[in-house]
Amino acid sequence: MQERILPAHSITGSISLPGDKSISHRYAMIAAIAHGETRIRNFSTGADCHSTLGCLRALGVEVEGSGTEFVIQGRGWNGLSKAAGDLDAGNSGSTIRMLSGMLAAQPFSSRIFGDESLARRPMQRILEPLGQMGAHITARQGKFPPLAIEGTKLRPIDYVLPVPSAQVKTCVLFAGLFAEGETSVTEPVRSRDHTEIALREFGAELRVERQRITLAGRPALAGRELEVPSDLSSAAFFMAAALMIPGSFLVIRGVGLNPTRSALLDFLVGMGARIRVAELARRNGELVGDLEVSHAEMRGGVIEGGLTAALIDEIPVLAVLGAATEEGLTVKDASELRIKETDRIRTVVDNLRRMGVAAEELPDGMVIPGRQKFRAAELESFGDHRIAMAFAVAGLSADGPSVIREAEAASVSFPEFWDRLGRLTASPVP
Ligand code: S3P
């Protein structure tokens, strides 16, 4: 499927967005091993979170519902059962990495695989700590999906993460839930803490001392009612569009503003963005608020060190925005970008160049000079949801109609994206 993007003269309106992808995965997985029923509202409509629900169903978990509301009948500690076939994680790194922590501790074997993109993503980062816990897992070429997991009794570990990764942290904590004794994970840089918050919501006790999280195995987890905040990483596309296009004023309601995710807001405001946060509240332990975003002249900036990890999912759209700023954008310390759904350094730079925008590729980042104009172009999503959406935003500022190929990739996190974008943009040309 292709999408045609016309230049827009403003982004105006008020929207709410689908539920946060990271939080939806975690609520569903924890609900599956809790006791009793969990009702989840505003569950992500993204294909990734539906891959998680599909895997849970295959493991014998009753999941009912449709749209954005699902009810999961928790099966308790020993309640998961061996799947009849292989588990399909689709495009979802979160599903394969986080669920493997639970699968490694089951009294049965599992095989989990994904699509072509997932089949190229590194799994050593979970194989290493799970191996230390006693897990038996074999991977293609020792490091790629599919994973064949021979479930066994796991022992707790005290693990220092070599890379900042919330997925790996979650994998180890999920495995630790099944081990007897205390499992600890220390992070080099604080990553998103939705797992810690969600586990507490379900009744687990965790200690967090600086960057070290400790969890006692076999906690009593109880099913409950939860509502997922809207996804800040999805909001980022509309925020960038509103900031770039003169005359824009956009309200995004009920967005997740967890401090381990909201570095985006500080970074944008630091560059001159006009963003107001209203109706701030705490829901199920997560901070939620409305965002009001107006067009602003932006200065540009540098993303490096811990900030790179905090903004990792937003870098594609920030790169687009960067080209329209005064001083441009430099991204460093971002080699993790090369092993996302695509090599996002290459795919971003490639599409920018197609639009006549100068961009330099670095081994671990990119340099995008400012004050550049976007030329209308034929753009590729490369099958990557965030690349499809980031370049739709670029197309809104171009000098004519652009095309995004394989635009359906957006459905991985945000199936409603094209529809929402159409409704918010007022195009100057018929
Ligand atoms: C995620 C963590 C990040 C992020 C991904 C979702 C999560 O990945 O890029 O989109 O939900 O924990 P890493 O753990 O690989 O940094």
Side-chain angles (χ1 to χ4, degrees), residues 39-46 50 53 57 63-72 416:
R39 180 178 295 272
I40 311 176
R41 296 200 169 80
N42 203 35
F43 190 81
S44 166
T45 47
H50 285 263
L53 293 184
R57 285 190 178 107
V63 181
E64 280 188 332
S66 60
T68 60
E69 190 165 331
F70 290 88
V71 176
I72 297 178
E416 308 85 341

Side-chain angles (χ1 to χ4, degrees), residues 124-125 128-129 159-165 168 186-189 336:
Q124 308 98 311
R125 50 184 64 198
E128 166 62 27
Y159 191 66
V160 180
L161 288 178
V163 280
S165 165
V168 180
T186 304
E187 319 187 73
V189 179
E336 280 288 305

Side-chain angles (χ1 to χ4, degrees), residues 6 72 92 94 107 130 136 164 167 250-251 305 326 360 393 396 409:
L6 298 177
I72 297 178
S92 176
S94 300
L130 290 177
H136 302 302
Q167 291 174 355
L250 179 65
V251 180
E326 282 294 300
E360 186 192 344
V393 172
L396 298 175

Side-chain angles (χ1 to χ4, degrees), residues 127-333:
L127 300 182
E128 166 62 27
L130 290 177
Q132 289 183 22
M133 297 178 87
H136 302 302
I137 307 180
T138 44
R140 186 175 58 84
Q141 294 174 7
K143 53 185 173 184
F144 296 119
L147 304 178
I149 304 174
E150 205 58 63
T152 188
K153 197 166 181 292
L154 300 180
R155 47 182 179 269
I157 51 168
D158 190 341
Y159 191 66
V160 180
L161 288 178
V163 280
S165 165
Q167 291 174 355
V168 180
K169 170 176 68 176
T170 302
C171 171
V172 177
L173 291 175
F174 280 179
L177 287 172
F178 294 84
E180 262 173 57
E182 289 195 334
T183 294
S184 295
V185 182
T186 304
E187 319 187 73
V189 179
R190 196 101 208 269
S191 68
R192 60 192 72 191
D193 65 354
H194 305 302
T195 301
E196 295 89 307
I197 292 173
L199 282 171
R200 282 196 176 121
E201 282 295 296
F202 278 88
E205 279 181 28
L206 278 90
R207 283 199 316 278
V208 182
E209 301 139 320
R210 291 171 174 268
Q211 264 131 243
R212 184 164 191 259
I213 303 130
T214 303
L215 166 92
R218 313 257 163 139
L221 301 173
R224 45 164 309 142
E225 297 216 353
L226 299 157
E227 188 172 340
V228 182
S230 293
D231 198 320
L232 180 60
S233 300
S234 297
F237 300 105
F238 293 108
M239 293 169 72
L243 288 167
M244 280 169 77
I245 301 171
S248 297
F249 177 72
L250 179 65
V251 180
I252 313 176
R253 303 214 180 277
V255 182
L257 298 175
N258 178 315
T260 61
R261 297 279 293 282
S262 61
L264 173 68
L265 303 186
D266 301 325
F267 181 68
L268 290 172
V269 169
M271 290 203 296
R274 286 158 60 204
I275 301 173
R276 205 174 86 88
V277 177
E279 305 292 332
L280 202 60
R282 199 171 284 278
R283 203 166 62 207
N284 305 130
E286 292 281 356
L287 217 51
V288 183
D290 294 348
L291 297 176
E292 298 175 2
V293 188
S294 316
H295 165 70
E297 296 299 331
M298 307 275 290
R299 268 187 298 279
V302 180
I303 301 176
E304 61 186 337
L307 188 58
T308 304
L311 296 179
I312 199 79
D313 290 342
E314 288 75 58
I315 288 174
V317 76
L318 290 173
V320 168
L321 179 62
T325 59
E326 282 294 300
E327 294 159 16
L329 182 80
T330 298
V331 179
K332 297 184 196 164
D333 307 317

